[in-house]
Amino acid sequence: MTLAVRVRELSARLPAEQRGPGLDRDAVRLLVSRGTAVSHHSFGELPKLLRAGDLLVVNTSPTLAAAVDGRIGHARVVVHFSTRGDDGRWAVELRDPDGRGTTRARAGGPAGTEVRLPGGGRLVLEEAVSERLWWARVCGGEVSGLLREHGRPIRYSYTERDQPLSVYQTVFALPSPDGSGSAEMPSAARPFTARLVAELVSRGVQFAPVTLHTGVASAEAHEPPYPERFSVPEASARLINAVRAGDGRVVAVGTTAVRAVESADGADGVVRAREGWTDLVVTPRRGVRVVNGLLTGLHEPEASHLLMLEAVAGRAAIDRGYEEALSRRYLWHEFGDVHLLLPDRDSHAEHCSSNCK
């Protein structure tokens, strides 16, 4: 059995809170890697695994109801609204409905293609971004209103059924003034609950909000990320620098938070307030300069995000962690279990419990 097949079998098909009575979002498992040392926990144990002075960098981007039905001629299509451009256009991906409530890849283009949208609007493809994405303009209405009235969260075939948008919002999500947001949930933060955040704060763990509006993932081709809009506020930049100057750890919650803060790091090693577009791709060769820990989901073997994980923790740690995740049947994808990568050279870190490997 190939690794890809094993991962598909371990896909989380429902959110944690729908898997049994009395469960909440934090009812997922937490794999902790410190170098090649691995331990197994519940996500509710996170406050005991961090310490006073640690900083969690969290993405406040809200998830959009980014999938909208449309028609090209008599053919049905699904439009995935990915990224809002500065000129009002949107990068979009056209998909074919698969008859099971999800979609499959579709060839894009050509320029000038018109998609009829609900409510009488039209989407016109104007310029290719990549083989699958096009810059497009909506005529006859605002995209924010279209998504609010006719959109639904983007759903992939490994999930069991459609879910309300609230299932795809994290506890850190804040509305954007211009209606921007993430086409797909910044899912590493999904297991956090208000209760867990309060417990972390009571133990002296700090939070630094940043924003990165993530686009539509490359579900089939696993392309590297393209430019995305981000913002690192002044208060968060100062907090990150203060923690780095002390003995606290800067732990990014999700690969989107890594991309945002690493894009705000100057040549002098100081993080400054910054906003705009980032085309940064974090790889082992580039390395990380701001974060020294990462809380993230489990990624498919072809995913470009694995290079970022390797940049944070090293190849040996990732290989060992994923070997354990597979053998212990951890669940993959946005409703699945979570992986915490911490420095292995941290003398203050909690020692592994008896289930360490």
Side-chain angles (χ1 to χ4, degrees), residues 275-305:
E275 63 180 20
W277 292 83
T278 178
D279 60 0
L280 176 66
V281 178
V282 178
T283 64
R285 181 175 180 179
R286 189 267 184 189
V288 288
R289 303 166 187 168
V290 180
V291 305
N292 49 18
L294 173 61
L295 183 71
T296 183
L298 294 164
H299 303 278
E300 292 182 328
E302 304 89 351
S304 60
H305 289 314

Short mmCIF file of all heavy atoms in Angstrom, two decimals, residues 275-305:
data_model
loop_
_atom_site.label_atom_id
_atom_site.label_comp_id
_atom_site.label_asym_id
_atom_site.label_seq_id
_atom_site.Cartn_x
_atom_site.Cartn_y
_atom_site.Cartn_z
N GLU A 275 2.60 45.12 5.54
CA GLU A 275 1.43 44.55 4.90
C GLU A 275 1.59 44.67 3.39
O GLU A 275 2.37 45.48 2.89
CB GLU A 275 0.15 45.24 5.36
CG GLU A 275 0.06 46.71 5.02
CD GLU A 275 -1.25 47.30 5.52
OE1 GLU A 275 -1.89 46.73 6.41
OE2 GLU A 275 -1.62 48.38 5.00
N GLY A 276 0.87 43.84 2.68
CA GLY A 276 0.98 43.82 1.22
C GLY A 276 0.88 42.39 0.71
O GLY A 276 0.12 41.58 1.23
N TRP A 277 1.69 42.10 -0.30
CA TRP A 277 1.70 40.77 -0.91
C TRP A 277 3.03 40.09 -0.62
O TRP A 277 4.07 40.73 -0.63
CB TRP A 277 1.53 40.89 -2.42
CG TRP A 277 0.17 41.37 -2.83
CD1 TRP A 277 -0.26 42.67 -2.90
CD2 TRP A 277 -0.94 40.55 -3.22
NE1 TRP A 277 -1.57 42.71 -3.30
CE2 TRP A 277 -2.01 41.44 -3.52
CE3 TRP A 277 -1.14 39.18 -3.35
CZ2 TRP A 277 -3.25 40.98 -3.93
CZ3 TRP A 277 -2.38 38.73 -3.76
CH2 TRP A 277 -3.42 39.61 -4.05
N THR A 278 2.98 38.82 -0.35
CA THR A 278 4.22 38.06 -0.18
C THR A 278 4.27 36.91 -1.17
O THR A 278 3.27 36.21 -1.38
CB THR A 278 4.36 37.50 1.25
OG1 THR A 278 5.57 36.72 1.32
CG2 THR A 278 3.18 36.63 1.67
N ASP A 279 5.44 36.75 -1.79
CA ASP A 279 5.68 35.59 -2.66
C ASP A 279 6.70 34.64 -2.04
O ASP A 279 7.24 33.77 -2.69
CB ASP A 279 6.14 36.04 -4.04
CG ASP A 279 7.44 36.86 -4.01
OD1 ASP A 279 7.99 37.08 -2.90
OD2 ASP A 279 7.90 37.29 -5.08
N LEU A 280 6.96 34.83 -0.72
CA LEU A 280 7.95 34.02 -0.04
C LEU A 280 7.52 32.54 0.00
O LEU A 280 6.39 32.22 0.34
CB LEU A 280 8.14 34.52 1.40
CG LEU A 280 9.08 33.70 2.29
CD1 LEU A 280 10.50 33.78 1.78
CD2 LEU A 280 8.99 34.17 3.74
N VAL A 281 8.44 31.67 -0.36
CA VAL A 281 8.26 30.23 -0.21
C VAL A 281 9.35 29.74 0.73
O VAL A 281 10.54 29.84 0.42
CB VAL A 281 8.32 29.49 -1.56
CG1 VAL A 281 8.18 27.99 -1.35
CG2 VAL A 281 7.25 30.01 -2.51
N VAL A 282 8.96 29.26 1.90
CA VAL A 282 9.92 28.83 2.91
C VAL A 282 10.35 27.40 2.61
O VAL A 282 9.53 26.49 2.55
CB VAL A 282 9.32 28.93 4.32
CG1 VAL A 282 10.32 28.42 5.36
CG2 VAL A 282 8.92 30.36 4.63
N THR A 283 11.64 27.23 2.40
CA THR A 283 12.23 25.92 2.09
C THR A 283 13.39 25.67 3.04
O THR A 283 13.87 26.58 3.72
CB THR A 283 12.77 25.90 0.65
OG1 THR A 283 13.84 26.86 0.54
CG2 THR A 283 11.66 26.25 -0.36
N PRO A 284 13.88 24.44 3.11
CA PRO A 284 15.05 24.18 3.96
C PRO A 284 16.26 25.03 3.58
O PRO A 284 17.03 25.44 4.45
CB PRO A 284 15.32 22.68 3.73
CG PRO A 284 14.00 22.12 3.35
CD PRO A 284 13.32 23.19 2.55
N ARG A 285 16.42 25.31 2.29
CA ARG A 285 17.56 26.14 1.88
C ARG A 285 17.42 27.56 2.39
O ARG A 285 18.39 28.15 2.86
CB ARG A 285 17.66 26.14 0.35
CG ARG A 285 18.82 26.97 -0.17
CD ARG A 285 18.95 26.84 -1.68
NE ARG A 285 20.07 27.63 -2.17
CZ ARG A 285 20.42 27.71 -3.45
NH1 ARG A 285 19.74 27.02 -4.37
NH2 ARG A 285 21.45 28.45 -3.82
N ARG A 286 16.21 28.12 2.32
CA ARG A 286 15.99 29.47 2.82
C ARG A 286 16.01 29.48 4.34
O ARG A 286 16.55 30.38 4.98
CB ARG A 286 14.67 30.01 2.28
CG ARG A 286 14.43 31.50 2.57
CD ARG A 286 13.65 31.70 3.85
NE ARG A 286 13.33 33.10 4.09
CZ ARG A 286 12.81 33.57 5.21
NH1 ARG A 286 12.54 32.74 6.21
NH2 ARG A 286 12.54 34.86 5.35
N GLY A 287 15.39 28.46 4.97
CA GLY A 287 15.33 28.37 6.42
C GLY A 287 14.31 29.33 7.01
O GLY A 287 13.64 30.08 6.31
N VAL A 288 14.18 29.28 8.34
CA VAL A 288 13.31 30.20 9.06
C VAL A 288 14.18 31.08 9.94
O VAL A 288 15.19 30.64 10.47
CB VAL A 288 12.26 29.46 9.90
CG1 VAL A 288 11.20 28.84 9.01
CG2 VAL A 288 12.88 28.40 10.79
N ARG A 289 13.76 32.33 10.11
CA ARG A 289 14.55 33.30 10.88
C ARG A 289 13.81 33.85 12.09
O ARG A 289 14.41 34.46 12.95
CB ARG A 289 14.95 34.45 9.96
CG ARG A 289 15.73 34.00 8.73
CD ARG A 289 15.82 35.09 7.68
NE ARG A 289 16.41 34.59 6.44
CZ ARG A 289 16.41 35.24 5.28
NH1 ARG A 289 15.85 36.44 5.21
NH2 ARG A 289 16.97 34.71 4.21
N VAL A 290 12.49 33.65 12.11
CA VAL A 290 11.67 34.21 13.18
C VAL A 290 11.13 33.13 14.10
O VAL A 290 11.29 33.19 15.31
CB VAL A 290 10.50 35.03 12.59
CG1 VAL A 290 9.64 35.61 13.72
CG2 VAL A 290 11.01 36.14 11.68
N VAL A 291 10.49 32.13 13.54
CA VAL A 291 9.85 31.10 14.37
C VAL A 291 10.84 30.00 14.71
O VAL A 291 11.76 29.72 13.95
CB VAL A 291 8.62 30.49 13.65
CG1 VAL A 291 7.64 31.59 13.23
CG2 VAL A 291 9.02 29.66 12.45
N ASN A 292 10.63 29.40 15.87
CA ASN A 292 11.41 28.20 16.21
C ASN A 292 10.51 27.06 16.62
O ASN A 292 10.98 26.05 17.15
CB ASN A 292 12.46 28.48 17.29
CG ASN A 292 11.89 29.22 18.48
OD1 ASN A 292 10.69 29.25 18.69
ND2 ASN A 292 12.78 29.82 19.26
N GLY A 293 9.23 27.20 16.37
CA GLY A 293 8.28 26.12 16.60
C GLY A 293 7.09 26.29 15.69
O GLY A 293 6.83 27.38 15.17
N LEU A 294 6.35 25.21 15.49
CA LEU A 294 5.23 25.24 14.56
C LEU A 294 4.17 24.24 15.01
O LEU A 294 4.47 23.09 15.32
CB LEU A 294 5.71 24.88 13.14
CG LEU A 294 4.63 24.70 12.06
CD1 LEU A 294 3.83 25.97 11.85
CD2 LEU A 294 5.30 24.26 10.75
N LEU A 295 2.92 24.71 15.03
CA LEU A 295 1.77 23.85 15.25
C LEU A 295 1.04 23.74 13.91
O LEU A 295 0.63 24.76 13.34
CB LEU A 295 0.84 24.45 16.31
CG LEU A 295 -0.39 23.63 16.70
CD1 LEU A 295 0.03 22.40 17.51
CD2 LEU A 295 -1.36 24.48 17.50
N THR A 296 0.88 22.54 13.39
CA THR A 296 0.37 22.38 12.04
C THR A 296 -0.40 21.08 11.91
O THR A 296 -0.29 20.19 12.75
CB THR A 296 1.52 22.42 11.01
OG1 THR A 296 1.01 22.35 9.69
CG2 THR A 296 2.51 21.30 11.25
N GLY A 297 -1.20 20.99 10.86
CA GLY A 297 -1.88 19.73 10.56
C GLY A 297 -0.92 18.75 9.91
O GLY A 297 0.28 19.00 9.78
N LEU A 298 -1.45 17.62 9.50
CA LEU A 298 -0.67 16.60 8.82
C LEU A 298 -0.90 16.73 7.33
O LEU A 298 -2.04 16.80 6.87
CB LEU A 298 -1.07 15.20 9.32
CG LEU A 298 -0.73 14.96 10.80
CD1 LEU A 298 -1.48 13.76 11.33
CD2 LEU A 298 0.77 14.80 10.99
N HIS A 299 0.19 16.79 6.57
CA HIS A 299 0.13 17.11 5.15
C HIS A 299 0.40 15.87 4.29
O HIS A 299 1.16 14.98 4.68
CB HIS A 299 1.15 18.21 4.82
CG HIS A 299 0.95 19.45 5.64
ND1 HIS A 299 0.03 20.41 5.30
CD2 HIS A 299 1.55 19.88 6.77
CE1 HIS A 299 0.07 21.38 6.21
NE2 HIS A 299 0.99 21.08 7.11
N GLU A 300 -0.21 15.86 3.11
CA GLU A 300 -0.01 14.76 2.18
C GLU A 300 1.45 14.69 1.75
O GLU A 300 2.16 15.71 1.76
CB GLU A 300 -0.92 14.93 0.97
CG GLU A 300 -2.40 14.76 1.32
CD GLU A 300 -3.29 14.87 0.09
OE1 GLU A 300 -2.92 15.64 -0.82
OE2 GLU A 300 -4.32 14.19 0.05
N PRO A 301 1.93 13.51 1.33
CA PRO A 301 3.36 13.35 1.03
C PRO A 301 3.86 14.24 -0.10
O PRO A 301 5.04 14.57 -0.14
CB PRO A 301 3.48 11.86 0.66
CG PRO A 301 2.09 11.37 0.45
CD PRO A 301 1.20 12.23 1.27
N GLU A 302 2.96 14.67 -1.02
CA GLU A 302 3.39 15.53 -2.12
C GLU A 302 3.27 17.02 -1.81
O GLU A 302 3.64 17.86 -2.62
CB GLU A 302 2.56 15.23 -3.38
CG GLU A 302 2.59 13.79 -3.84
CD GLU A 302 1.48 12.97 -3.20
OE1 GLU A 302 0.81 13.49 -2.27
OE2 GLU A 302 1.27 11.82 -3.62
N ALA A 303 2.73 17.36 -0.65
CA ALA A 303 2.41 18.76 -0.35
C ALA A 303 3.67 19.61 -0.24
O ALA A 303 4.65 19.22 0.41
CB ALA A 303 1.60 18.84 0.94
N SER A 304 3.61 20.80 -0.83
CA SER A 304 4.76 21.72 -0.76
C SER A 304 4.99 22.21 0.67
O SER A 304 6.11 22.62 1.01
CB SER A 304 4.52 22.91 -1.69
OG SER A 304 3.34 23.62 -1.33
N HIS A 305 3.95 22.17 1.53
CA HIS A 305 4.11 22.62 2.91
C HIS A 305 5.14 21.79 3.67
O HIS A 305 5.71 22.27 4.66
CB HIS A 305 2.77 22.54 3.64
CG HIS A 305 1.77 23.56 3.20
ND1 HIS A 305 2.08 24.88 3.02
CD2 HIS A 305 0.45 23.44 2.89
CE1 HIS A 305 1.00 25.54 2.64
NE2 HIS A 305 0.01 24.69 2.54
#
